[in-house]
Amino acid sequence: MTDNQAPNDIDRHNSKMAKKKQARDKIMASKTQEKGLIIINTGKGKGKSSAAFGMIFRCIAHQMPCAVVQFIKGGMDTGERNLITAHFGDLCQFHTMGEGFTWETQDKERDIAAALAAWEKAKALILDDGNRMVLLDEINIALRYGYIPLDEVISFLQTQKPDMTHVVLTGRNAAEELIDIADLVTDMSLIKHPFRSGIKAQIGVEF
């Protein structure tokens, strides 16, 4: 590169970025609406609950009341639950309603009862418009197994959710009907996972 080329490259870059900023500012100026979102994190990749808890911690940081209902994870000790219940219980209600994955309980009737109880708790928390966000962790798994009626969940979210309340639903295999009514859907794809190499779940990464 000669001495004459470098300034030209910088000028071209600056001009390109100025045009991009102008276009971006125009787009952003047109986004004026606010609403409570239905958010789905699904897919085979890791990070569905982790990303959802990131939003919960954002709510906490902004002093916005929120709540978590865990549909599957039961006795497992998690960093998110420990941190929230120990330090932010005034801002975030935390309810672990599940008793573990179905292959652990080996009792379908008990699993169904736990899932239905979790759904009743979830509805009450969502209907409380003091909660800005409610996370339904692993509800997609309970829905996939048929523990909770899918049509009831969809109807409730469409007709009873307060207008400004965000509801986040996590878990693999989100139903297409649920995806259809959502505002934001992220499908986390699996490319590599250490579990396949014989590495167990580790503190700070998985829980």
Side-chain angles (χ1 to χ4, degrees):
M1 180 181 292
T2 66
D3 291 341
N4 290 332
Q5 287 176 318
N8 290 338
D9 288 344
I10 292 172
D11 289 344
R12 280 195 296 270
H13 172 81
N14 291 346
S15 176
K16 182 179 179 180
M17 291 303 105
K19 290 177 181 178
K20 183 172 286 190
K21 183 181 185 308
Q22 185 178 26
R24 181 70 178 171
D25 289 347
K26 185 176 180 181
I27 292 171
M28 295 303 291
S30 69
K31 312 300 181 185
T32 58
Q33 299 181 51
E34 288 188 21
K35 62 171 289 191
L37 304 176
I38 298 172
I39 302 169
I40 297 175
N41 291 347
T42 193
K44 294 181 179 180
K46 173 183 159 40
K48 298 176 286 292
S49 294
S50 301
F53 274 106
M55 288 186 283
I56 287 291
F57 283 117
R58 283 176 176 167
C59 287
I60 291 171
H62 290 293
Q63 300 293 304
M64 295 162 58
C66 52
V68 177
V69 179
Q70 291 190 305
F71 280 75
I72 301 295
K73 295 162 185 161
M76 184 178 180
D77 195 37
T78 65
E80 301 96 335
R81 183 171 66 193
N82 292 343
L83 182 62
I84 289 171
T85 56
H87 300 286
F88 305 110
D90 58 329
L91 278 171
C92 183
Q93 300 180 57
F94 206 114
H95 301 275
T96 301
M97 309 289 289
E99 298 186 63
F101 290 95
T102 189
W103 56 84
E104 293 173 340
T105 63
Q106 299 178 26
D107 187 334
K108 185 176 181 180
E109 293 303 315
R110 196 170 83 186
D111 290 342
I112 292 172
L116 290 172
W119 175 233
E120 290 302 313
K121 174 61 70 175
K123 287 191 289 184
L125 292 167
I126 293 168
L127 288 172
D128 178 358
D129 58 10
N131 289 319
R132 191 69 176 89
M133 176 179 288
V134 180
L135 166 56
L136 310 182
D137 192 33
E138 304 287 10
I139 189 176
N140 290 335
I141 294 176
L143 288 168
R144 184 188 181 198
Y145 287 146
Y147 294 169
I148 309 168
L150 176 62
D151 56 352
E152 180 182 333
V153 173
I154 290 173
S155 175
F156 178 85
L157 293 175
Q158 287 185 308
T159 64
Q160 297 188 58
K161 181 184 76 65
D163 290 341
M164 294 307 295
T165 301
H166 304 303
V167 178
V168 187
L169 306 93
T170 72
R172 294 185 179 200
N173 303 112
E176 287 298 325
E177 298 92 330
L178 200 54
I179 289 172
D180 287 342
I181 69 164
D183 301 286
L184 172 60
V185 180
T186 301
D187 188 322
M188 299 185 178
S189 61
L190 175 63
I191 297 175
K192 293 181 73 175
H193 198 293
F195 188 76
R196 292 181 170 179
S197 302
I199 300 171
K200 67 178 183 178
Q202 299 181 80
I203 294 175
V205 179
E206 275 84 15
F207 59 94

